[in-house]
């Protein structure tokens, strides 16, 4: 079944249907319509999957998606156009440019924590780049998966963009097929398996994984605002966000104030009983519920700590003075537990971060430019937000992706288009200027060698539009100045003449 | 003699210390690499002649000068490349924020070279790796022993020994090297080995750049100055004795064109190499007896007709520039990349037939079209895919540093040369420095949620269609 879907998609791609720009724009607009028309059903599915509040859905899934589609529709012609490059003396009369081209049939494997955004945003880029795409939503968010399977064929070309649902064995079957690119969002373990499967066919991959995203709070900072922003980012979607601040690093002197700040904010956000707040989510399934609860074993919560297995509810929880070797600090939490680890100063914090795997996101809260500069210069991570959390995800012009164990590749906005394209280097020469070429042909001698070296050493010239405009403008100004100078000289000569 | 892991650990410790990050350090190392090449030209020429019987001209053009050019280019542009990219479109919600993309070094990278251009295929990635602030392990091809030895001797002499190391060895040594964790692996070579590299990289989630090969087709179609085309075709095909990953592998043309092409090829080859190419100083040799045997086997099994060349000599691994006609799709010469001085000509009746043929094969590393007719060039470009493309010439598209050099599909993944190499060995870190102001706008996103807040937030973050520079307009 999986094999047939891929086969059909490949045939449809080879027929050339997905390539014309008008077709791509039309598909994207249909996708837009699907999201707008079916918002209610999507929200219901999400509520059933993960108890997503009706506001979190547009906020975290749909607005971003709609923006991406609008951006793609608006900029597609620009993105898909040939991109000229600098030429040198040897290629001065030639055309040299990079032509973005579709890769072919791509595979997009979605995740369960933001099942719509994380499955459809890559699809936007895949469609925009002219590919066919097999979409495999996560089976853990089963209501969303079924809804997607029912809806997508009604809005998009059924053969080019099939939805394949299923669990581990269906995914494995899919991964046995040959794709021209695989885009996977999920965890490291499966990420490695995806890469292994891709290796067989020499398929390039984009892996959006995760990790423990550290959040450093400097001591001279407005803790009220900082704690508000951190609390928001941590507990939205019940902590099940790949770029949620995983743990806090701060000096012991401010730890208690940080805890208080978070406690206060939690009260503001969810009231005294988060379980009854319509805005607080649940853990996706029993297995993850048990996993998160196990992390808490042996530690006393400073804030929260309550849970209800029947509802897969875990209260927003903060744990103080967590030792670095605690279980809580060994794996990505992906839940509403927020450990605070104390560090003696910024050096200690940087050292702590660099001892661990490169995270997907890094957060720094500080009013001190030097501290921020050091953090940025002396650590690495997929992305960074300073003085807030998560927000770097929302700007489509910033590339979103991991590094090291947190992933490979990047997307959002134009970056998705580029990720799903082949950038073909094109040099179109004329058969003229053959005299220059003669130096490179055998039989060879010293003079020819010298001439060729000289010709190859020419600097590159930028023939882009910007340079042309600058050159033309500068020429006009220069000409104008010359004219003015001439006029002045003439007048001056005239004046001195009459004076005589 | 340090073991592989000891060397890698040492480089990793150096990287952690941050010494490779400052621009000054990278510049100094690049300058030293420049000196290495400039001061040892004769030694390089000798080594390459020993390994590949490479004519001095080819060494200068395709090994020394191309490396020097890339170095000049990198040094000239390093500062620009290292700058954080600020020209980022913002929306209303992020108006007051500082948004930029930093390019950051990855760590310790592994560069595995190839034997056909043993110097530049390992030094050009090294230039990019150094420019991007990484430490690097070089693993030159063991097939070119003289060049391998030269690199092992010169690199520690000129470059920082704590940051860059050369590890020599054969297939077994490479296998054990790959068990270690690297932050990027850059491999130039064959598809078979590429697969095992990807499999070795997967458990460490190491990103990989693969510069592979394939059968690069060459169309000669429509109205064309056959003399000039023949010259450029011969030059690109027989350069380095056909052992170039971007050499035109085979020709596709009509019977008519073929009949005009053959005399032109004969004449050109005579001009290039004289009546006996085996005696010409400008003709190279096949790299090893094993590769010579492989080519001779293909030639013997071929059902095509040899019309030019065909001579060979086992003692010095010589094969004459050879052209065959009446070659079919099923021929022995059409099953794998030739990588030698043998040029099959396949006759087609129409451009579409040629395009269909190409599309039935794996995507090649390069694709060539010789034609005066723009429509021919455009048709081929629009209906095929390949790593790179060159119209009316061969190979030279890889000498322009502004163009990314790399494959697609079975011909590879990733690219380098110039800025593209720098990007390959860097991590693009998206950074947003939020202002403490506009907390009132932020408030819209906090629970308890409401329709009112959602409405305003939507308005503030929605991409407006006609906005200039990607920013939302009030």
């Amino acid at each position: 079944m999986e094999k047939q879907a891929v086969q059909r998609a490949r045939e449809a791609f080879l027929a050339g249907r997905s390539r014309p720009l008008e077709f791509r724009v039309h598909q994207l607009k249909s996708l837009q319509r699907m999201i707008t028309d079916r918002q209610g059903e999507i929200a219901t599915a999400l509520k059933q999957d993960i108890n997503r509040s009706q506001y979190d859905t547009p906020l975290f899934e749909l607005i971003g998606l709609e923006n991406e589609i609008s951006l793609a529709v608006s900029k597609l012609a620009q993105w898909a156009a040939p991109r000229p490059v600098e030429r040198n003396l040897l290629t001065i009369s030639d055309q040299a440019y990079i032509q973005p081209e579709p890769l072919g049939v791509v595979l997009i494997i979605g995740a369960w924590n933001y099942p719509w955004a994380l499955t459809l945003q890559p699809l936007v880029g895949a469609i925009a780049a002219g590919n066919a795409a097999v979409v495999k939503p996560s089976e853990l968010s089963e209501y969303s998966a079924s809804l997607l399977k029912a809806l997508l064929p009604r809005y998009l070309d059924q053969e080019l963009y099939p939805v394949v649902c299923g669990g581990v064995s269906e995914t494995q079957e899919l991964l046995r097929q040959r794709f021209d690119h695989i885009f996977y969002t999920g965890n490291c373990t499966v990420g490695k398996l995806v890469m292994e499967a891709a290796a067989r066919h020499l398929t390039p991959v984009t892996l959006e994984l995760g990790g423990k995203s550290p959040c450093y709070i400097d001591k001279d900072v407005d803790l009220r605002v900082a704690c508000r922003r951190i609390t928001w980012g941590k507990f939205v979607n019940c902590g099940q966000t790949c770029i949620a601040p995983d743990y806090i690093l701060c000096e012991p002197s401010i730890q208690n104030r940080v805890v208080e700040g978070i406690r206060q904010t939690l009260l503001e956000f969810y009231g005294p009983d988060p379980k009854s707040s319509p805005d607080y989510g649940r853990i996706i399934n029993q297995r993850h519920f048990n996993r998160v609860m196990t992390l808490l074993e042996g530690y006393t919560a400073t804030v929260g700590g309550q849970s209800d297995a029947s509802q897969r509810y875990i209260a927003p929880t903060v744990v103080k003075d967590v030792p670095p070797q605690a279980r809580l600090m060994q794996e990505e939490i992906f839940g509403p537990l927020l450990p605070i680890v104390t560090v003696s100063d910024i050096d200690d914090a940087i050292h702590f971060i660099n001892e661990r795997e490169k995270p997907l996101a890094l957060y720094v809260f500080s009013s001190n430019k030097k501290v921020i500069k050091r953090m940025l210069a002396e650590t690495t991570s997929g992305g960074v937000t300073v003085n807030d959390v998560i927000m770097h995800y929302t700007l489509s012009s910033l590339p979103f992706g991991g590094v090291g164990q947190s992933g490979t590749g990047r997307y959002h906005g134009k970056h998705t288009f580029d990720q799903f394209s082949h950038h073909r280097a094109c040099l179109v020469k004329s058969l003229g200027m053959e005299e220059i070429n003669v130096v490179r042909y055998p039989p060879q001698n010293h003079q020819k060698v010298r001439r060729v070296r000289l010709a190859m050493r020419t600097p590159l010239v930028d023939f882009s539009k910007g340079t042309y405009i600058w050159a033309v403008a500068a020429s006009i100004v220069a000409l104008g100045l010359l004219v003015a100078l001439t006029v002045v000289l003439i007048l001056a000569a005239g004046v001195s003449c009459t004076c005589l | 003699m340090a073991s592989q892991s000891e060397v890698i650990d040492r480089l990793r410790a150096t990287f952690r210390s941050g010494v490779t990050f400052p621009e000054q350090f990278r510049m100094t190392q690049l300058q030293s690499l420049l000196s290495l090449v400039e001061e040892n030209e004769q030694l390089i020429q000798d080594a390459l002649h020993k390994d590949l019987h490479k004519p001095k001209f080819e060494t200068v053009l395709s090994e020394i000068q191309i490396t020097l050019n890339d170095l000049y280019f990198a040094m000239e542009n390093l500062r620009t490349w290292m700058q954080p990219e600020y020209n980022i479109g913002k929306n209303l919600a992020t108006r007051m924020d500082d948004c930029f993309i930093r390019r950051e070094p990855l760590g310790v990278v592994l560069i595995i070279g190839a034997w056909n251009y043993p110097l530049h295929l390992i030094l050009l990635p090294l230039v990019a790796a150094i420019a991007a602030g990484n430490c690097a392990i070089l693993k030159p091809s063991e097939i070119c022993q003289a060049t391998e030895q030269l690199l092992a001797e010169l690199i520690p002499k000129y470059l920082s020994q704590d940051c860059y190391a050369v590890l020599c060895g054969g297939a077994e040594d490479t296998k054990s090297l790959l068990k270690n964790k690297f932050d990027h692996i850059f491999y130039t070579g064959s598809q078979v080995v590429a697969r095992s590299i990807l499999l070795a990289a997967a458990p460490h989630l190491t990103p990989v750049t693969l510069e592979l090969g394939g059968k690069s087709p060459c169309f000669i179609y429509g109205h064309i100055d056959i003399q000039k085309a023949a010259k450029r075709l011969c030059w690109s095909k027989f350069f380095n004795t056909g052992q170039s990953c971007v050499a035109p592998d085979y020709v596709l043309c009509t019977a008519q064109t073929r009949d005009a092409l053959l005399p032109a090829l004969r004449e050109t080859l005579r001009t290039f190499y004289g009546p006996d190419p085996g005696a010409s100083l400008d003709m190279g040799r096949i790299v090893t007896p094993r590769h010579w045997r492989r080519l001779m086997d293909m030639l013997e099994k071929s059902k095509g007709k040899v019309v030019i060349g065909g001579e060979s000599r086992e003692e010095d691994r010589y094969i004459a520039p050879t052209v065959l006609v009446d070659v079919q799709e099923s021929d022995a010469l059409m099953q794998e990349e030739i990588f030698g001085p043998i040029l099959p000509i396949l006759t087609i009746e129409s451009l579409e037939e040629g395009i269909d043929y190409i599309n039935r094969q794996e995507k090649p590393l390069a694709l060539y079209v010789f034609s005066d007719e723009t429509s021919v060039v455009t048709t081929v470009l629009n209906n095929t895919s390949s790593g790179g493309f060159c119209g009316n010439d061969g190979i030279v598209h890889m000498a322009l540093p502004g163009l990314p050099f790399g494959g697609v599909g079975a011909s590879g993944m990733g690219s380098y040369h110039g800025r593209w190499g720098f990007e390959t060995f860097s991590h693009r870190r998206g950074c947003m420095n939020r202002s403490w102001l506009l907390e009132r706008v932020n408030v819209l996103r906090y629970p308890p949620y409401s329709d009112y807040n959602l409405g305003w937030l939507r308005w503030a973050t929605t991409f407006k269609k006609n906005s200039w520079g990607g920013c939302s307009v009030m």
Side-chain angles (χ1 to χ4, degrees), chain B residues 162-474:
Chain B
D162 289 324
C163 303
Y164 317 104
V166 180
L167 291 177
C168 298
E172 284 309 312
D173 299 291
T174 313
K175 247 192 225 149
S176 74
L177 188 57
L178 285 167
K179 290 204 180 89
N180 295 283
K181 179 182 171 177
F182 293 96
D183 299 289
H184 195 99
I185 298 176
F186 189 105
Y187 170 74
T188 307
S190 74
Q191 283 165 20
V192 172
V193 177
R195 269 188 201 97
S196 55
I197 293 192
L198 275 180
L199 284 171
H204 299 293
L205 289 173
T206 303
V208 180
T209 302
L210 301 173
E211 296 277 329
L212 310 177
K215 293 181 79 60
S216 300
C218 179
F219 273 102
I220 305 183
Y221 201 86
H223 186 267
I224 184 72
D225 179 334
I226 207 81
Q227 299 299 327
K228 287 186 182 156
K231 278 223 183 82
R232 295 181 183 192
L233 174 59
C234 279
W235 179 79
S236 24
K237 175 67 183 186
F238 300 110
F239 194 90
N240 204 31
T241 328
Q243 297 163 122
S244 309
C245 40
V246 284
D249 191 277
Y250 61 97
V251 166
L252 289 164
C253 63
T254 60
Q256 205 180 12
T257 310
R258 174 201 61 199
D259 294 336
L261 183 64
L262 289 176
L265 288 175
R266 271 195 203 96
E267 193 189 317
T268 307
L269 285 170
R270 210 178 173 60
T271 319
F272 281 8
Y273 306 113
D276 176 20
S280 161
L281 289 172
D282 298 323
M283 185 71 196
R285 297 291 182 268
I286 306 302
V287 68
T288 64
R290 185 168 64 86
H291 287 84
W292 184 90
R293 187 72 261 154
R294 179 185 67 85
L295 287 164
M296 291 313 296
D297 276 343
M298 271 204 285
L299 202 51
E300 278 151 24
K301 287 199 186 107
S302 170
K303 300 215 168 62
K305 191 169 89 179
V306 175
V307 289
I308 299 176
E311 302 88 22
S312 60
R313 247 191 341 252
E314 192 165 2
E315 315 85 77
D316 59 343
R317 306 180 315 276
Y318 166 71
I319 299 179
T322 303
V323 181
L324 294 96
V325 295
D326 301 331
V327 177
Q328 306 300 324
E329 197 173 327
S330 53
D331 197 277
L333 286 171
M334 297 308 290
Q335 304 315 311
E336 58 179 89
E337 188 176 359
I338 293 173
F339 226 67
I342 299 169
L343 181 64
I345 300 182
L346 277 74
T347 6
I348 48 173
E349 314 227 323
S350 67
L351 197 59
E352 286 66 39
E353 190 190 325
I355 290 174
D356 277 338
Y357 176 75
I358 290 175
N359 288 340
R360 280 203 296 279
Q361 321 305 319
E362 292 294 349
K363 295 177 189 177
L365 185 54
L367 199 145
Y368 302 107
V369 177
F370 282 88
S371 181
D372 275 342
E373 296 167 42
T374 322
S375 61
V376 169
V377 175
T378 316
T379 311
V380 176
L381 262 177
N382 289 346
N383 292 289
T384 60
S385 185
S386 61
F389 175 89
C390 188
N392 293 321
D393 210 332
I395 298 186
V396 289
H397 63 288
M398 65 171 291
L400 200 56
L403 286 176
F405 181 69
V408 63
S411 53
M413 56 177 82
S415 62
Y416 70 128
H417 284 191
R419 190 189 190 138
W420 302 93
F422 179 85
E423 297 280 327
T424 293
F425 285 108
S426 302
H427 167 54
R428 263 172 263 180
R429 192 185 195 185
C431 303
M432 182 183 277
N433 190 344
R434 295 221 77 198
S435 123
W436 291 102
L437 309 171
L438 287 193
E439 184 60 7
R440 312 211 99 240
V441 177
N442 256 0
V443 160
L444 295 174
R445 75 190 196 204
Y446 299 144
Y449 299 131
S450 70
D451 279 321
Y452 178 80
N453 282 359
L454 184 61
W456 276 107
L457 203 57
R458 222 188 179 116
W459 177 84
T461 55
T462 295
F463 170 82
K464 298 287 192 293
K465 196 165 175 218
N466 294 313
S467 54
W468 185 67
C471 303
S472 274
V473 173
M474 288 281 232

Side-chain angles (χ1 to χ4, degrees), chain A residues 51-63:
Chain A
N51 200 50
R52 181 76 66 71
S53 91
Q54 64 167 134
Y55 296 103
D56 266 346
T57 290
L59 203 56
F60 286 101
E61 300 242 29
L62 304 184
I63 294 181

Side-chain angles (χ1 to χ4, degrees), chain A residues 103 229 358 380 434 440, chain B residues 104 106 232 363 393 439:
Chain A
L103 290 168
R229 297 180 176 187
K358 299 174 186 177
T380 189
E434 185 60 7
R440 75 189 200 206
Chain B
E104 301 184 342
L106 294 170
R232 295 181 183 192
K363 295 177 189 177
D393 210 332
E439 184 60 7

Side-chain angles (χ1 to χ4, degrees), chain A residues 52 69 118 192 256 378 396 413 433 484 495:
Chain A
R52 181 76 66 71
I69 297 175
L118 297 179
K192 290 175 188 171
N256 288 332
E378 296 176 39
S396 63
M433 303 250 283
V495 165

Side-chain angles (χ1 to χ4, degrees), chain A residues 19 39 53 55-56 58-59 63 66-67 70-71 74 85-88 91 96-98 101 103 178 180 188 191-192 195-196 199-200 202-204 207 209 221-222 225-226 228-229 232 236 268-270 279 354 357-358 362 365-367 376-377 379-388 391-392 395 397-399 402-405 408 410 422-432 434 437 439-444 446 449 452-453 456-457 460, chain B residues 16 21 41 56-57 60-61 64-65 68-69 72-73 88-91 94 99-102 104 106 181 183 191 194-195 198-199 201-207 210 212 224-225 228 231-232 235 271-273 282 362-363 367 372 381-382 384-393 396-397 400-404 407-410 413 420 427-437 439 442 445-451 454 457-458 461-463 465:
Chain A
R19 301 181 81 123
Q39 221 180 114
S53 91
Y55 296 103
D56 266 346
L59 203 56
I63 294 181
E66 287 167 356
N67 279 353
S70 306
L71 183 71
S74 153
V85 300
E86 306 142 315
R87 284 168 280 165
N88 57 18
T91 45
Y97 58 91
I98 297 165
E101 298 184 339
L103 290 168
R178 184 178 177 182
D180 299 290
C188 285
K192 290 175 188 171
M195 214 173 148
E196 234 177 76
R200 244 172 286 123
L202 290 176
T203 302
L207 303 172
L209 309 177
V221 107
D222 181 346
V225 178
R228 253 247 208 89
R229 297 180 176 187
W232 169 76
V236 90
E268 268 175 47
F269 284 4
Y270 306 116
D279 300 329
N354 286 340
E357 292 296 348
K358 299 174 186 177
L362 189 132
F365 282 83
S366 178
S367 316
L376 284 182
T379 64
T380 189
S381 63
V384 181
T385 301
V386 176
N387 294 329
D388 206 339
M391 295 303 288
H392 63 286
L395 194 59
S397 45
L398 285 177
V403 63
Q405 296 290 301
T408 170
R410 66 206 62 82
H422 167 54
H423 298 268
R424 190 185 198 182
C426 300
L427 179 64
V428 185
K429 296 182 73 88
S430 79
L431 280 178
E434 185 60 7
N437 258 359
V439 286
R440 75 189 200 206
Y441 301 144
Q444 282 307 323
H446 285 303
V449 172
V452 142
R453 285 189 102 134
M456 277 183 79
R457 256 296 271 138
L460 289 180
Chain B
R16 282 249 171 82
F21 292 22
E41 258 197 52
K56 170 182 163 169
F57 177 83
V60 167
L61 191 63
I64 294 174
Q65 200 58 47
L68 292 177
N69 272 7
Y72 297 138
F73 192 69
I88 306 284
K90 293 187 260 191
N91 59 22
T94 46
C99 301
F100 52 95
I101 303 173
R102 276 172 59 89
E104 301 184 342
L106 294 170
K181 179 182 171 177
D183 299 289
Q191 283 165 20
R195 269 188 201 97
L198 275 180
L199 284 171
H204 299 293
L205 289 173
T206 303
L210 301 173
L212 310 177
I224 184 72
D225 179 334
K228 287 186 182 156
K231 278 223 183 82
R232 295 181 183 192
W235 179 79
T271 319
F272 281 8
Y273 306 113
D282 298 323
E362 292 294 349
K363 295 177 189 177
L367 199 145
D372 275 342
L381 262 177
N382 289 346
T384 60
S385 185
S386 61
F389 175 89
C390 188
N392 293 321
D393 210 332
V396 289
H397 63 288
L400 200 56
L403 286 176
V408 63
M413 56 177 82
W420 302 93
H427 167 54
R428 263 172 263 180
R429 192 185 195 185
C431 303
M432 182 183 277
N433 190 344
R434 295 221 77 198
S435 123
W436 291 102
L437 309 171
E439 184 60 7
N442 256 0
R445 75 190 196 204
Y446 299 144
Y449 299 131
S450 70
D451 279 321
L454 184 61
L457 203 57
R458 222 188 179 116
T461 55
T462 295
F463 170 82
K465 196 165 175 218

